[in-house]
Amino acid sequence: MFEAFTLSFRKDISLVELPQNKEIILQSSTRKLAFSQPASGLQTALKTLYDTGGTATELKQLVQQADGIYGMLKFHSYLQKFISLGWVCHSVLPFATAVPQVWEYEFSAPVVDCQEQFFTLSRFAYLHQVEGQMVLESPLSKAKVILPDWRGVAIVAKLSQPQSCSTLVSEIPSITLEIVQQFLSLLLATQMLSQETYKEVENATLAQWDFHDLLFHTRSRQGRHTNPTGSTYRFLGKIEPQPVVKPPMSKTVIQLYQPNLERLKTADIPLTQVLEERRSIRNYHSCPIAAQQLGEFLYRSARVKNLINREYSNRPYPAGGGLYELEVYPVINTCVGISSGLYHYNPIAHQLEQLCERTKDVEALLKDAWGASGQQDMPQVLIVISARFQRLSWKYEAIAYSLILKHIGVLYQTMYLVATAMNLAPCALGSGNADLFATAAGTDYYAESSVGEFMLGSQSTDENKPEASG
Ligand SMILES: Cc1cc2nc3c(=O)[nH]c(=O)nc-3n(C[C@H](O)[C@H](O)[C@H](O)COP(=O)(O)O)c2cc1C
């Protein structure tokens, strides 16, 4: 099988000839191999791998003719080395090319039994267009498969149902059994197929991964790809970054109560007590939370403490890069002193900007939260947290969304602790409707939509009658 593939260097391997030193240098981003005074057959084989590619048999014949049997054996071991370094693409021309996505990845193709076996595409494999070519990828694979010919795409489409080699040969025009065999071997080598005898659902670990979760996990962490990751600033000079805080959304504002932090530093209950007493509470006192309490809660958990160079800020919770992409939207059901409706929290002015009254969408947001929390009390205040996505993705590549979810976690915990210290009833939620929120708040779904929800209200026990502190 190995002999049948056309082998070529990955596009990110460079080949430099130094005639004065009679040297050929091959280089990846992490490694350099120098061949000093290479024999003529070896030189030609290396250049063929770099240019057009060739099968292992063709390349070895070429070296043997020029350099003899020992030259060929030496080349064979070099070829093995290139493959084990993840430098070599394997192609079934013109249908498919497997390109390693990582270094040190060894492509190893199994023999396909065309008599007995049936093949199905893995549910984790996905086909998409990249720079004008169809590319098959999978979070299970350390390689991607480029499909330049439509018949390759047609084979992949057929593989949504179990297929034998012979059905593929009979249904795809102008394709031989040998090509189908190689194509399937390449898909098996790159973990794109699940054979009918091996069902992914039978593997309890994989069965519990959603496709999108596993893809997100593999692409937002390092290890399974060599894509750019982290603070790459790829839009610098091309697109303006998002501002440090969102410009005001409405002229109808409510100035919120600002607690006396100096007094709270001594009056607050100790940290250990807050941590030990923190719990999720989904029932409320009949007397709703008051505007003063909501003001104190937002000030202590989400305000801008100070701006740095008008680009970054400090807030009570930490955030990657100091960028603070999260926005806080209180949805008021019942609150003494604030009428029911949807508001945006301005974290610099410490104001609520009213976006709308209690519309059908506002009602639906509250009802969703009530459903997600076991249909107990309707939240008195539902705090919807949205993300201005481009505030992070302008700077960070591959990890922007995973950072947002981490930020939601630290904000939730800050809100839980502040609510506990204030004797309020807090409860985080794990799901919410981002489309509904975008419609209610009038945001562009792709620029800013909801990523978290947090319920807040007055505590129901008599001894904890809600009272503003601070
Ligand atoms: C990220 C996150 C998501 C949650 N989602 C929900 C939810 O959708 N509905 C709900 O009633 N509680 C939800 N909770 C609250 C948990 O059920 C609660 O934290 C857990 O049972 C532990 O109880 P405790 O918070 O009282 O210590 C969530 C908590 C977190 C941190």
Side-chain angles (χ1 to χ4, degrees):
M1 254 319 130
F2 165 77
E3 300 292 320
F5 293 110
T6 299
L7 310 179
S8 56
F9 283 133
R10 277 166 59 163
K11 294 263 178 291
D12 48 1
I13 303 292
S14 65
L15 182 149
V16 180
E17 283 183 85
L18 302 173
Q20 65 277 32
N21 305 345
K22 294 200 175 117
E23 204 173 34
I24 289 186
I25 293 172
L26 294 175
Q27 196 158 4
S28 73
S29 61
T30 56
R31 218 173 159 133
K32 182 167 147 182
L33 294 178
F35 297 84
S36 70
Q37 302 194 336
S40 68
L42 176 60
Q43 276 190 42
T44 316
L46 293 178
K47 284 191 219 160
T48 307
L49 278 169
Y50 183 69
D51 294 329
T52 50
T55 65
T57 312
E58 286 163 0
L59 292 165
K60 281 194 254 177
Q61 270 171 6
L62 192 150
V63 178
Q64 189 167 347
Q65 275 162 16
D67 304 346
I69 185 86
Y70 291 111
M72 187 276 280
L73 290 173
K74 214 164 157 187
F75 172 72
H76 177 79
S77 70
Y78 288 144
L79 194 55
Q80 292 298 337
K81 173 90 180 164
F82 299 150
I83 291 171
S84 69
L85 287 174
W87 282 18
V88 175
C89 300
H90 288 68
S91 300
V92 182
L93 291 177
F95 303 99
T97 297
V99 184
Q101 292 280 71
V102 291
W103 303 119
E104 319 287 333
Y105 161 73
E106 181 156 0
F107 180 93
S108 165
V111 174
V112 168
D113 176 358
C114 267
Q115 302 301 319
E116 299 288 327
Q117 284 174 296
F118 280 78
F119 303 90
T120 317
L121 197 66
S122 158
R123 73 182 173 91
F124 290 103
Y126 64 100
L127 194 58
H128 62 147
Q129 182 267 116
V130 183
E131 295 169 356
Q133 286 187 307
M134 293 310 285
V135 178
L136 188 65
E137 295 192 60
S138 165
L140 301 181
S141 182
K142 291 183 177 172
K144 64 181 173 188
V145 178
I146 299 173
L147 302 166
D149 186 289
W150 67 268
R151 284 167 296 176
V153 179
I155 297 179
V156 170
K158 293 290 315 168
L159 288 166
S160 58
Q161 300 282 326
Q163 300 290 341
S164 67
C165 295
S166 53
T167 50
L168 289 171
V169 172
S170 64
E171 295 194 24
I172 310 290
S174 319
I175 204 154
T176 63
L177 186 68
E178 198 193 3
I179 292 286
V180 165
Q181 208 172 2
Q182 278 176 39
F183 192 98
L184 291 172
S185 174
L186 184 139
L187 294 187
L188 278 172
T190 50
Q191 288 77 41
M192 300 297 176
L193 294 184
S194 59
Q195 293 171 43
E196 219 198 5
T197 46
Y198 164 73
K199 287 207 172 79
E200 272 152 14
V201 281
E202 283 167 7
N203 176 334
T205 307
L206 270 188
Q208 293 173 73
W209 270 106
D210 273 343
F211 163 71
H212 69 277
D213 277 340
L214 189 56
L215 181 59
F216 178 47
H217 176 63
T218 56
R219 287 297 183 266
S220 59
R221 305 288 303 165
Q222 289 171 8
R224 196 151 279 214
H225 63 91
T226 44
N227 301 338
T229 302
S231 50
T232 59
Y233 291 96
R234 69 204 138 133
F235 299 110
L236 184 70
K238 296 179 195 154
I239 300 176
E240 276 298 297
Q242 288 295 309
V244 59
V245 290
K246 185 169 176 163
M249 294 178 77
S250 158
K251 288 199 176 113
T252 312
V253 295
I254 298 171
Q255 190 62 46
L256 290 167
Y257 165 77
Q258 185 172 322
N260 179 340
L261 290 182
E262 285 311 307
R263 199 187 78 73
L264 280 174
K265 279 180 192 170
T266 52
D268 246 346
I269 58 173
L271 175 66
T272 302
Q273 196 181 338
V274 173
L275 284 167
E276 293 307 309
E277 287 180 3
R278 184 214 58 78
R279 64 200 171 93
S280 299
I281 303 168
R282 301 163 185 87
N283 297 296
Y284 310 105
H285 196 277
S286 54
C287 174
I289 185 172
Q292 183 167 331
Q293 289 172 303
L294 184 61
E296 175 175 334
F297 172 83
L298 291 171
Y299 191 85
R300 293 176 71 176
S301 54
R303 79 182 186 283
V304 170
K305 291 183 353 187
N306 55 281
L307 289 175
I308 305 158
N309 297 335
R310 296 194 191 161
E311 281 181 57
Y312 310 103
S313 61
N314 291 125
R315 305 190 192 194
Y317 61 96
L323 292 174
Y324 291 96
E325 76 290 357
L326 299 180
E327 296 291 325
V328 170
Y329 290 80
V331 183
I332 306 290
N333 173 25
T334 49
C335 174
V336 178
I338 303 178
S339 61
S340 184
L342 173 61
Y343 298 80
H344 171 245
Y345 176 58
N346 179 328
I348 286 203
H350 189 52
Q351 289 172 339
L352 288 185
E353 300 157 356
Q354 184 166 24
L355 304 186
C356 61
E357 293 177 349
R358 195 182 182 112
T359 59
K360 252 171 51 190
D361 287 341
V362 168
E363 195 79 50
L365 285 168
L366 289 167
K367 205 156 172 231
D368 277 359
W370 172 74
S373 55
Q375 305 187 346
Q376 299 180 44
D377 285 353
M378 186 72 97
Q380 293 177 351
V381 176
L382 171 69
I383 296 173
V384 179
I385 302 154
S386 73
R388 289 185 293 140
F389 302 110
Q390 288 71 25
R391 174 96 181 128
L392 284 192
S393 56
W394 185 85
K395 173 178 177 182
Y396 294 110
E397 199 164 348
I399 59 168
Y401 198 79
S402 73
L403 278 179
I404 288 171
L405 299 186
K406 287 167 184 168
H407 294 157
I408 279 287
V410 293
L411 180 55
Y412 274 2
Q413 177 68 346
T414 306
M415 287 181 163
Y416 261 117
L417 297 182
V418 171
T420 307
M422 290 179 63
N423 244 332
L424 293 170
C427 183
L429 296 180
S431 62
N433 186 332
D435 269 302
L436 177 63
F437 168 79
T439 308
T443 60
D444 169 359
Y445 182 91
Y446 304 103
E448 183 188 346
S449 40
S450 59
V451 287
E453 286 80 14
F454 193 92
M455 305 194 304
L456 191 68
S458 53
Q459 276 213 34
S460 64
T461 49
D462 279 341
E463 63 272 23
N464 288 332
K465 269 212 167 104
E467 236 176 38
S469 55

